[in-house]
Each structure stands twice: as C-alpha cells, then as structure tokens.
Amino acid sequence: MAVELKELTKRSENYSQWYNDLVVKADLAEQSPVRGCMVIKPYGYAIWEKMQRQLDDMFKETGHVNAYFPLLIPKSYLSREAEHVEGFAKECAVVTHYRLKNAEDGSGVIVDPAAKLEEELIIRPTSETIIWSTYKNWINSYRDLPILCNQWANVMRWEMRTRLFLRTAEFLWQEGHTAHATREEAEAEAQKMLHVYGDFAEKYMAVPVIKGVKSANERFAGALDTYTIEGLMQDGKALQCGTSHFLGQNFAKAFNVQFVDKNNKLDYVWATSWGVSTRLMGALIMTHSDDNGLVLPPHLAPIQVVIVPIYKNDEMLKKIDAKVEGIVNKLKAMGISVKYDNADNKRPGFKFADYELKGVPVRLVMGGRDLENNTMEVMRRDTLEKETRSCDGIEEYVQQLLEDIQNNIYQKALNYRNEHIVKVDSYDDFKEQIEKGGFILAHWDGTPETEDRIKEETKATIRCLPFDADEESLTPGKCMVTGKPSARRVLFARAY
Amino acid sequence: MAVELKELTKRSENYSQWYNDLVVKADLAEQSPVRGCMVIKPYGYAIWEKMQRQLDDMFKETGHVNAYFPLLIPKSYLSREAEHVEGFAKECAVVTHYRLKNAEDGSGVIVDPAAKLEEELIIRPTSETIIWSTYKNWINSYRDLPILCNQWANVMRWEMRTRLFLRTAEFLWQEGHTAHATREEAEAEAQKMLHVYGDFAEKYMAVPVIKGVKSANERFAGALDTYTIEGLMQDGKALQCGTSHFLGQNFAKAFNVQFVDKNNKLDYVWATSWGVSTRLMGALIMTHSDDNGLVLPPHLAPIQVVIVPIYKNDEMLKKIDAKVEGIVNKLKAMGISVKYDNADNKRPGFKFADYELKGVPVRLVMGGRDLENNTMEVMRRDTLEKETRSCDGIEEYVQQLLEDIQNNIYQKALNYRNEHIVKVDSYDDFKEQIEKGGFILAHWDGTPETEDRIKEETKATIRCLPFDADEESLTPGKCMVTGKPSARRVLFARAY
C-alpha cells in the first residue's frame, strides 16, 4: 500500500482532517504563500475544467453568451447600492497604488508614495456594480433586452478562516448577469438558472440537491430573492452549491439604467445574477469520497479508465502493450478518457493505491494469466468490487459500467440525504437533532430575530424554503421557538 | 447603408482611428470606467474563446496541463530575481489593505486604516515568481520533471497609454511555465512552443509571422533568450504576437528549486515560460480588416455563415424559412457555425451592413426569385464578390468557400508582408525607408548602445533575429550605424 494512503485520516476519526488530507494528497489543490489563496493543481484543475465545459455548454444552450468585465472596481461603485455595500465592503482587497520603486537602502522594492490612486480600486468580490455601470451604455430600448451575459472569472473576498475550495480569499467562478424588460421575465430567468444548476449538480456531479428560496437573512446583498441549491455532505453538514438572484430593479436604480418600453415609457431594467464557484469541488469531494480517497463521478473524471499491466519481463509487457492498444483505441473512439499506465518506475501496488486515491472510476488490470485467457480484471472505484471478464466486448461493458457508477453514487448520495431529513416540532428536539447532523424541517415564525436566535444557540441556519415539499410541510403551524404562527416548514442545517 | 458603417473612419485617412472605431462599432470591446481596463463584449469574447479553445487543444496535444496560481504576489517575491524586478516592478497594481468601512460622515465607504497588510501584495503582472515559489515544493528528483503547466488568467500592468486589446492595464492571457532537468530540454521546449504559436497564428488567425530570437534589449526580464513571432499590420507597423522564453536557471536559483539528477547530484531546475494574450485580437483585426469592417478568418469566426431572407410578405417568408431550414441543418451537421437571421425588426440592408461590419465570412441571401429558381446569392466577405448558385450542393460549396477564404486572406497578408521586407545598407537609407513602414533587414553591431540610438532616432526596434534567413542575410557585414562588424542582418520595424 502506498504511503499516501496510509496517511489519509479516516472520516470517522476526523472528517475535517480527512477532507484536508484528501485535497492535498489527491493533488487537487494546496495552500499558496499568499494567505487564504490556493494553488489549484493540474489534477484538480482538470476536474474544474470538465465542470466549466459542461456548465458553459448548458449556459449557451439556454441562450447566454460570455463576456469579460474588469477585475477592479472603483470604491465608490460599491456604495451605490445600499444593501450591497453592507454585504461586501467589509472584506475586500484594496488597490491604493500603481507603482513600486527600489528602496534607497537597496533592500528591495517599496511602494512608491507618489503613485497613489485618486480613488482606491477594489478587487471584485462580485461584479454587479461594474457590470451595471456598463449595461447603462448598452441599454436604451426594449429592443436591447434581454442581455444574457456570463463571465468566467476570479473574484476575491478577504476571508479570515479559509479552507481549500470551500472558502478561499481568491476563488474561480462564473457569474451570470442578465437584464430584462419585465419583472416576470427576470424572475423566470433566475429560476431557470437555478434549475440549470440543479441539473448540473445531479446529472454530472451526482450530487442530489434541494432547491428553494432563501430567507431574508441569507439573501444576497442587494437581491429581492435568492434561490439556492443545497447539498448534504457525509458529515451531515449542508453545503450551498449555487445561488441565483432576482435583483429586481435595485442595481438598475443604483446605476440609473432605464429603457424605453414598447409603450414608449421609461422604466428601470430588471436584473438577475447567478453563480457557482470552485466551491463545487468541495461538494464533489465531500459527497462521494471515502477512506481510500476520491470517488469521482464518471461524467466529470479527467481519467475515466486506467489500465495497468502486471508483467514479469519485457517480453510479456510487449505482449500486454499490444493487446491493450486495441482496447485503448476502441475506448477512445467511444469518447472515453483512458490512460494506459505501463511506466516501469512504479510498482503495480503503488499504481493501484494512487489511482484509488485519485478516484479513477474504473481500473482494468492485465497480467500474464489474463493474457493467456484473453481476460482482464475490472475494478469499479465506487464499490471496490473486482471481477474478471473476457476482453471480448470489454469496451462496451466498461461504457455501461461508467454509467452504472454514475447512477450508483448518485443513488447512494440521494439515499443518505433522504435518510437525513427529519421533521421536528419542538425547539428541544431541534437542539438534540441538530447535533446528529442532517437537514431538519421545522416551523419558524418568519422573523429574522428568531432566525438569528436559532443560529446563535444552535449554529444552524435556514438553508431554504424548499420548492418541493409534502403537503404536511406546507400546512401552517407554530414556530418551534416562539410559538407564533408559521406559514410552512423550512429547511434547517448546520452548513459549510 | 447602416449608420455604423458610415461612421467608420477609412484606413487611408487615419489608420489608428479606423482601428479604434472598428473595435467599438463591431462590438468587440470598449473602455471601462476603470482607467486602462477594457470590457470585452460578447462578440469579441466569442472570438477570444475560439482562440483559447484551439490553443488549449494544441497545448494539451504537446503534453501540457492547466493549473491555477494566485492572483496576488507578495511584494518581496518580485525582487528575488534581479532583472525581473527591474522589468516589472515599475508598473504594478499594489494591494495595501483588506477592508473598507463606512465613513463616519455617512458619505460612503473608506479604506479601513486598521486593515493594513503587513506586506503589500502585487496583482500579478506575470507569474514566474509565484509559480517558482510553488514548484519548489513539487520538485525533489528528476522523476518529478518535466512539469508542463499552463495557466489561463488575467494579469495587470499599469500602462499609462492604453489601446483596446493592444495595450491595456488588465488583459487576459495564457502563461506556460515549465520545469526541466536539462538545459537542452528547456531550450527545446521554448522553441517548440514558439512553433505552436506560429502554427496557430498562420493556420487559425491567417496571420503570417516571422519567427526569431530577440536581442538582449528586447528580452523578457529574467530570460536568457526570448523567442518571438512578429506580424506586420496593414499600416506597416510590426506587432509582437507571442513570446516564448528560455529562462535558464534564473528563477530556480531565485527560489532555490533544486533536484537530484540521475547521477544523484543536486542541480538547479531549468525553466521556460511562454504566453499569448488578448493582444492577438488586435493582430487579427489589423491584419485582415478593411474599410467596411472586420474580416475574420473562417477558422476563428463565431458565425461562419449568415443567411438572410428577403421577402414581401409572411407567406413568402414561411416558404423561405422552410427552404432554409434544411440548409441550416446540413451546414450545422458539417460542423459549420451558421445563423439564420429572419428577425423582422431590421431591414435586409441593415443586416447586410451589420454582418459585413462584424466580418462574417460568408453571407447567403434568399429572395422571392431565388425561391422560384432554387438559388441563393452567395457573398464572400474577404473580396465582397457575389454570385448566384443553385441550392443543390450549396452546403459543400460553402464548406469549400470557407477554406478558400481562410487561404486567401492568409495569402493576401503573406504577400503584403513579403512585399514589405527590404534590405537596407546605410543608416540614411534606413531612416528614409522606416518612414514607409514595413520590416527592414539591416546590419547591426550587436551592441545595446547602437540599438538604443536607432530606437531614439527612428523609433524602430529590433523585432528579432529571424530563424529563416537567406544566405546573404546570414553573411557578416558592417553595422549600418557604426560601421563595426555585424554577424548578420537583423529585422527592424516600428512596432505596436
């Protein structure tokens, strides 16, 4: 067994340490010398690229186009929208100067005090302000609408406590920013994109999510409504996987973006924004992986199939090489990403452990006896089950197996999630239940004060008011804390 | 004729203004409210995306992987490599604080003086320093080499005079950073990537380039050798389209990155870096476009074919719609990007002008008579030639036409470039010739002093020592300025 695996903390011992170990040992990411900023390593970035490509296709299929807006935002822009500045101004990287110069004592470089900016610039924590200041020039009439732009970009929020992928000062994301002539159209867009995110999470990441709307406390700063998809990690904590915001006319008013409608009347433009980030990497890892390492959904695995030869001498290796070549070519022709690892500087046992750690969904092994028998050993990473199969038709078998694995890990995560949603009616029960992890459906009086109190006393937050709810959950009741009337049950959890 | 076209300055009147007009009117990019930073609009970004996709494929085919390194670099890192800091420290955006707070007088937000960073952070002007500080942890032995990473990222250099795409404070680029066990391997890598850039420029952008090595003055700060591809714009000025650097062991020494070689000896790692940026958009525009607007190479055009109907009534439009549908489907099945524009809020004349301005390579028009005759009018954007053809087999014809256009605009640019390379033997002739634009091959004594003098007196720089040169150019001669010995002719031009 490879050293790397031995050193991976078990989930049952310390889930948090298991996650940290895994991200580093599976070569996904590491801390950088810049506090709170990460280096995304090639293997981690390859997964992110597959996510990007798929999401980008889905955005384009729904009529969106990509564009690029500046990294830096004038400080004054942030305060144009009153709630927005409260939410974001606190944690921004601020550019104050534009030049360095040599220190006179030869000790290196210093900031040139003569090169001070008249107005400080903020590294974008999100781009609503700079984009709406730009849209002002793009929009005159209803004919200019809708605008359906997306941007793939880096953003920065000066977080004090950071964890790789889950919360970093700099992260990568996409942010959609759309402009519409009517309230209805903007609301429909915000919901449509939430469903795109939901489909992506479930069909590609194999992460089941609960879709719903946020309470006022958890809303995006400047939004009228924030829609969310919420996943449940294996430690029972929720993770917000993506959000889509109906912004009303707030940013249009802040940046004075008006249009002439079909009746020749001036009105402010309606807006949405929506984003997912490298945080999805955290959701992917924590939903499926196990004590042996990553478990990747085949639809996003950079390497879907690895083939390892076991051989006693060069002659045998040559025979295996020749046999495997045809299988590799056929798998590639089927659109399957396959790696044949016949490198001679690592032993098979090391390779097995390494590819398990890296979550490659299917491993094929061919040894001397397999060569004689025209067979291979097939191992699936999700269950670690092995079987020996004939090489005839193995490509079709592997193709089907990849789909089986994709479905199986989704179903497994779905079962876990469904087993961890409970209804609770008293605050005492709630306090007891929340310690066990998972989602709780409970009644709440709808006030921010009660929500704050629950958060303070239990560290649980309202994840959302789920769109899909059974009849009982939608029946009015009494708040578990105050006893005041409650319109419906809402979804609580402790969250990342 | 559409208003937009009327307002496009002619190249012969004012080339610089023509470029500025075209970038804005063709919806490629615009200035942002942040000084020197641009907004890349959806149509411009779609071209950049096609460039990215193609380059990324070429990088991966040559064994490279993508990764992501932090946006911010500790100030002290910049001064680790002595030449590097001289080249880059002067023009950097400096982050000094990490928080804003509400102004006490309620006037907005101010920088929180309590949130001052201990060490200032620089927005990356290029990433050698942060990447080599990271590689230190990745490299122990020759088995860890080579590392062949690329990064797609935004970078920032505080330019005082900016022009859209050509020189902006923030720009998008890719930067490859590779680490090797031997000098030979690193040198080969630097040259290999230059050839990848050259192939991309010629086969996809249809921009002929001269490949060569830079003189010491024009070398990247910290490189032992800088290789370049140089294009010639229609105004006779050169544009550096991409560079690839052999960095020797400079950055490995600056960041103490050593490895154990096969003979168990410690040595510093050898490095390369190479990059192309959104500047390529400028090269693309200025090489091919004309007084009617953009001329895009079919291999990079977001829309390769546009189809416009001309109709008198709804009934006729329906018939044209039905006829065109089959053609659209067949073109799409052939992998051709096609747009059928039957929008009824713009007249055909407006559409024609707009798609000309946007450089769509092929336009197909179907009117009432075409419908009767089973024909379409085909216009190619590069020559503006029109012809009427039968609809039978028109898809194959268009496919071939796109290749013809790709070849034709390359050949046209190549002819222009070749007609604008002259040999000059006296400095007086040089001064006269440089006013006419184009490349000049002349003898130079090899000293930075002479190069500086030429630049000062004529604004011309040495673009490169071309790899491909005729025998006469490689024959030693006398420097046109000083009369001192010259090893070979070198390539001069005024440049962007």
Side-chain angles (χ1 to χ4, degrees):
Chain A
M1 192 62 89
V3 176
E4 288 89 336
L5 276 188
K6 280 195 192 150
E7 292 179 0
L8 190 62
T9 307
K10 285 194 182 352
R11 285 166 296 172
S12 56
E13 283 171 17
N14 185 337
Y15 189 82
S16 176
Q17 189 60 44
W18 165 80
Y19 175 81
N20 294 344
D21 283 0
L22 183 51
V23 170
V24 171
K25 287 179 197 296
D27 273 342
L28 300 177
E30 64 184 37
Q31 297 291 354
S32 84
V34 183
R35 223 183 111 281
C37 293
M38 65 181 159
V39 172
I40 306 180
K41 299 182 77 173
Y43 192 62
Y45 200 85
I47 301 170
W48 174 242
E49 274 184 302
K50 292 205 93 170
M51 289 189 182
Q52 277 191 302
R53 188 69 66 103
Q54 181 56 39
L55 282 165
D56 198 66
D57 285 348
M58 292 169 91
F59 298 156
K60 284 174 178 158
E61 277 163 24
T62 44
H64 301 85
V65 291
N66 288 326
Y68 188 77
F69 298 87
L71 171 71
L72 299 178
I73 300 177
K75 188 189 64 178
S76 61
Y77 280 34
L78 277 189
S79 40
R80 292 269 199 107
E81 211 288 324
E83 292 179 25
H84 193 66
V85 69
E86 286 304 313
F88 285 101
K90 301 283 155 60
E91 44 180 35
C92 290
V94 187
V95 175
T96 56
H97 292 75
Y98 57 84
R99 198 190 306 135
L100 299 174
K101 64 174 188 176
N102 292 322
E104 286 180 11
D105 62 3
S107 63
V109 284
I110 58 169
V111 178
D112 184 347
K116 191 171 188 308
L117 289 167
E118 273 185 47
E119 180 180 3
E120 296 89 350
L121 298 168
I122 311 304
I123 297 181
R124 61 184 163 218
T126 180
S127 300
E128 278 77 8
T129 56
I130 190 81
I131 288 179
W132 278 88
S133 79
T134 305
Y135 281 179
K136 181 172 170 55
N137 303 320
W138 295 6
I139 300 170
N140 289 303
S141 135
Y142 70 93
R143 286 190 201 85
D144 301 320
L145 298 172
I147 292 177
L148 303 172
C149 277
N150 176 60
Q151 162 170 274
W152 290 96
N154 52 346
V155 288
M156 184 158 259
R157 299 171 189 180
W158 208 268
E159 303 284 353
M160 282 302 154
R161 288 182 199 170
T162 62
R163 292 189 69 189
L164 291 169
F165 291 126
L166 295 173
R167 193 175 293 277
T168 48
E170 183 191 16
F171 56 93
L172 304 184
W173 80 344
Q174 60 68 219
E175 45 182 327
H177 294 273
T178 69
H180 305 267
T182 67
R183 177 182 185 116
E184 293 68 32
E185 195 182 295
E187 284 186 318
E189 165 79 7
Q191 296 207 19
K192 179 203 279 180
M193 296 320 291
L194 189 80
H195 288 288
V196 166
Y197 288 156
D199 285 352
F200 173 75
E202 301 197 336
K203 291 181 186 160
Y204 293 87
M205 295 174 63
V207 172
V209 290
I210 294 179
K211 297 171 199 157
V213 62
K214 289 282 186 189
S215 61
N217 272 13
E218 300 284 328
R219 221 176 259 155
F220 175 78
L224 297 193
D225 264 321
T226 288
Y227 303 108
T228 181
I229 51 171
E230 299 281 328
L232 189 66
M233 305 299 102
Q234 293 178 64
D235 62 347
K237 285 173 79 174
L239 192 145
Q240 176 180 302
C241 292
T243 49
S244 180
H245 315 293
F246 168 58
L247 302 172
Q249 296 172 310
N250 287 350
F251 286 92
K253 285 177 180 167
F255 290 90
N256 194 27
V257 187
Q258 298 188 73
F259 74 106
V260 178
D261 71 13
K262 285 189 179 174
N263 304 317
N264 217 24
K265 281 187 186 159
L266 261 185
D267 194 8
Y268 288 102
V269 178
W270 298 86
T272 82
S273 67
W274 29 274
V276 294
S277 73
T278 36
R279 202 169 202 230
L280 288 179
M281 293 287 294
L284 188 75
I285 296 161
M286 288 202 291
T287 300
H288 304 301
S289 300
D290 63 25
D291 291 347
N292 294 310
L294 286 180
V295 174
L296 292 179
H299 291 178
L300 295 176
I303 303 168
Q304 296 175 302
V305 179
V306 65
I307 306 179
V308 179
I310 301 181
Y311 53 94
K312 292 194 175 127
N313 50 49
D314 275 3
E315 189 193 0
M316 191 187 288
L317 177 60
K318 272 183 195 160
K319 284 182 187 164
I320 297 177
D321 285 351
K323 180 82 184 168
V324 167
E325 191 187 356
I327 296 170
V328 166
N329 289 340
K330 196 160 173 202
L331 286 170
K332 282 188 180 167
M334 293 162 89
I336 292 169
S337 160
V338 55
K339 176 176 175 178
Y340 178 45
D341 185 354
N342 62 354
D344 63 359
N345 59 352
K346 285 168 191 154
R347 297 181 45 234
F350 179 90
K351 292 178 186 176
F352 293 173
D354 194 41
Y355 292 116
E356 268 176 49
L357 180 64
K358 295 229 167 86
V360 176
V362 172
R363 183 184 79 203
L364 302 177
V365 178
M366 181 171 276
R369 188 162 299 171
D370 290 313
L371 197 58
E372 283 170 24
N373 297 343
N374 189 40
T375 59
M376 292 182 109
E377 184 195 80
V378 181
M379 192 195 78
R380 53 188 289 176
R381 175 64 185 86
D382 58 339
T383 62
L384 299 174
E385 288 166 339
K386 294 177 200 168
E387 58 176 325
T388 296
R389 290 194 67 91
S390 165
C391 290
D392 299 336
I394 197 154
E395 300 88 354
E396 288 76 12
Y397 179 76
V398 164
Q399 185 176 41
Q400 185 55 50
L401 182 58
L402 289 169
E403 288 308 305
D404 288 350
I405 294 170
Q406 180 80 26
N407 292 333
N408 180 55
I409 64 172
Y410 174 72
Q411 199 57 50
K412 194 175 157 196
L414 183 64
N415 292 344
Y416 173 83
R417 199 275 311 275
N418 287 345
E419 287 159 10
H420 289 81
I421 308 181
V422 298
K423 290 182 182 175
V424 155
D425 290 312
S426 81
Y427 195 32
D428 282 343
D429 287 352
F430 183 90
K431 286 176 182 164
E432 198 182 314
Q433 184 63 38
I434 202 72
E435 295 299 330
K436 298 177 191 163
F439 286 123
I440 299 177
L441 283 164
H443 281 289
W444 158 65
D445 63 17
T447 67
E449 294 73 22
T450 302
E451 194 177 353
D452 285 341
R453 181 179 156 191
I454 295 169
K455 185 175 180 181
E456 181 134 332
E457 293 176 352
T458 69
K459 293 180 189 154
T461 48
I462 297 176
R463 303 316 305 154
C464 68
L465 285 61
F467 292 150
D468 282 340
D470 59 29
E471 207 184 313
E472 193 278 337
S473 293
L474 294 173
T475 308
K478 284 183 180 173
C479 175
M480 64 171 173
V481 179
T482 63
K484 290 181 188 165
S486 154
R488 56 166 293 177
R489 290 185 190 272
V490 301
L491 191 73
F492 288 90
R494 287 181 181 159
Y496 279 94
Chain B
M1 193 62 87
V3 176
E4 287 89 336
L5 276 188
K6 280 194 191 151
E7 291 179 0
L8 190 63
T9 307
K10 285 195 182 353
R11 286 166 295 173
S12 56
E13 283 171 16
N14 185 337
Y15 189 82
S16 176
Q17 189 60 45
W18 165 81
Y19 175 81
N20 294 344
D21 283 1
L22 183 50
V23 169
V24 171
K25 287 177 196 299
D27 273 342
L28 300 177
E30 64 184 37
Q31 297 291 353
S32 84
V34 182
R35 222 183 111 283
C37 293
M38 64 181 159
V39 172
I40 306 179
K41 299 182 77 173
Y43 192 62
Y45 200 84
I47 301 170
W48 174 242
E49 274 184 302
K50 292 205 92 170
M51 289 189 183
Q52 277 191 301
R53 188 69 66 103
Q54 181 56 40
L55 282 165
D56 198 66
D57 285 348
M58 292 169 90
F59 298 156
K60 284 173 179 159
E61 277 164 24
T62 44
H64 301 85
V65 291
N66 288 326
Y68 188 77
F69 298 87
L71 171 71
L72 298 179
I73 300 177
K75 188 189 65 179
S76 60
Y77 279 35
L78 276 189
S79 40
R80 292 270 199 106
E81 211 287 324
E83 291 179 24
H84 193 67
V85 68
E86 286 304 313
F88 285 101
K90 301 284 156 59
E91 44 181 35
C92 291
V94 186
V95 175
T96 56
H97 292 74
Y98 57 85
R99 199 190 305 135
L100 299 174
K101 64 174 189 177
N102 292 322
E104 287 180 11
D105 62 3
S107 63
V109 284
I110 58 169
V111 178
D112 183 346
K116 191 171 188 308
L117 289 167
E118 273 185 46
E119 180 180 3
E120 296 89 350
L121 298 167
I122 310 305
I123 297 182
R124 60 184 163 218
T126 180
S127 300
E128 279 76 9
T129 56
I130 190 80
I131 287 179
W132 278 87
S133 79
T134 305
Y135 281 178
K136 180 173 171 55
N137 303 320
W138 294 6
I139 299 171
N140 289 303
S141 134
Y142 70 93
R143 287 190 200 85
D144 301 320
L145 298 172
I147 293 177
L148 304 172
C149 277
N150 176 60
Q151 163 170 274
W152 290 96
N154 52 345
V155 288
M156 185 158 258
R157 300 172 188 179
W158 208 268
E159 303 284 353
M160 282 301 153
R161 287 182 198 171
T162 62
R163 293 189 69 189
L164 291 169
F165 291 125
L166 296 173
R167 193 175 293 276
T168 48
E170 183 190 16
F171 56 93
L172 304 183
W173 80 345
Q174 59 69 219
E175 45 182 327
H177 295 273
T178 69
H180 305 267
T182 67
R183 177 183 186 115
E184 293 68 31
E185 195 183 295
E187 284 186 318
E189 165 80 7
Q191 295 207 19
K192 179 203 278 180
M193 297 320 292
L194 189 80
H195 288 288
V196 166
Y197 288 156
D199 285 352
F200 173 75
E202 301 197 335
K203 291 181 186 159
Y204 293 87
M205 296 173 62
V207 172
V209 290
I210 293 179
K211 296 170 199 157
V213 61
K214 288 283 187 189
S215 61
N217 272 13
E218 300 285 327
R219 221 176 259 155
F220 176 78
L224 297 193
D225 263 321
T226 288
Y227 304 108
T228 181
I229 51 172
E230 300 280 330
L232 190 66
M233 305 299 102
Q234 293 178 63
D235 62 346
K237 284 173 80 174
L239 192 145
Q240 176 180 302
C241 292
T243 49
S244 180
H245 315 293
F246 168 59
L247 302 172
Q249 296 172 309
N250 287 350
F251 285 92
K253 285 178 180 167
F255 290 90
N256 194 26
V257 187
Q258 298 187 71
F259 74 106
V260 178
D261 71 13
K262 285 189 180 173
N263 304 317
N264 217 24
K265 281 187 187 158
L266 262 185
D267 194 9
Y268 288 103
V269 178
W270 298 87
T272 82
S273 68
W274 28 275
V276 294
S277 74
T278 36
R279 202 169 202 231
L280 287 179
M281 292 288 293
L284 187 75
I285 296 161
M286 288 203 291
T287 300
H288 304 301
S289 301
D290 63 25
D291 292 347
N292 294 310
L294 286 180
V295 174
L296 292 179
H299 291 179
L300 295 175
I303 304 167
Q304 295 175 302
V305 179
V306 65
I307 306 179
V308 179
I310 301 181
Y311 53 94
K312 294 195 175 124
N313 50 50
D314 275 2
E315 188 193 1
M316 191 187 288
L317 177 60
K318 272 183 196 161
K319 284 183 187 164
I320 296 177
D321 285 351
K323 180 83 184 169
V324 166
E325 191 186 356
I327 296 170
V328 166
N329 289 341
K330 194 159 174 202
L331 286 171
K332 281 188 181 166
M334 293 162 89
I336 292 169
S337 161
V338 55
K339 176 176 176 179
Y340 178 45
D341 185 354
N342 61 354
D344 64 359
N345 60 352
K346 285 167 191 154
R347 296 182 45 234
F350 179 90
K351 292 179 187 176
F352 293 174
D354 194 41
Y355 292 115
E356 268 177 48
L357 179 64
K358 295 228 166 87
V360 176
V362 172
R363 183 184 78 204
L364 303 177
V365 178
M366 181 171 276
R369 187 162 301 170
D370 290 312
L371 196 58
E372 283 170 25
N373 297 343
N374 188 40
T375 58
M376 292 182 109
E377 184 196 81
V378 181
M379 192 195 78
R380 53 187 289 175
R381 175 64 185 86
D382 58 338
T383 61
L384 299 174
E385 288 166 339
K386 294 178 200 168
E387 58 177 325
T388 297
R389 291 194 66 91
S390 165
C391 291
D392 299 336
I394 197 155
E395 300 87 355
E396 288 76 13
Y397 180 76
V398 164
Q399 185 176 41
Q400 185 55 50
L401 182 58
L402 289 169
E403 288 308 305
D404 288 350
I405 294 170
Q406 181 80 27
N407 293 333
N408 180 55
I409 65 173
Y410 174 72
Q411 198 57 49
K412 194 175 157 195
L414 183 64
N415 292 343
Y416 174 83
R417 199 274 311 274
N418 287 345
E419 287 159 9
H420 289 81
I421 307 181
V422 298
K423 290 182 181 175
V424 155
D425 290 312
S426 81
Y427 196 33
D428 282 344
D429 287 352
F430 182 90
K431 286 176 181 165
E432 198 182 314
Q433 184 63 37
I434 202 72
E435 295 299 330
K436 298 176 191 163
F439 286 123
I440 299 177
L441 283 164
H443 281 289
W444 158 65
D445 63 17
T447 67
E449 293 73 23
T450 302
E451 194 177 354
D452 285 341
R453 181 179 156 192
I454 295 168
K455 185 175 181 181
E456 181 132 334
E457 293 177 352
T458 69
K459 293 180 189 153
T461 48
I462 297 176
R463 304 316 304 155
C464 68
L465 284 61
F467 293 149
D468 282 339
D470 60 29
E471 207 184 313
E472 193 277 338
S473 293
L474 295 174
T475 308
K478 283 184 180 173
C479 174
M480 64 171 173
V481 179
T482 63
K484 289 181 188 166
S486 153
R488 56 166 293 176
R489 289 184 190 272
V490 301
L491 191 73
F492 288 90
R494 287 181 180 158
Y496 279 94

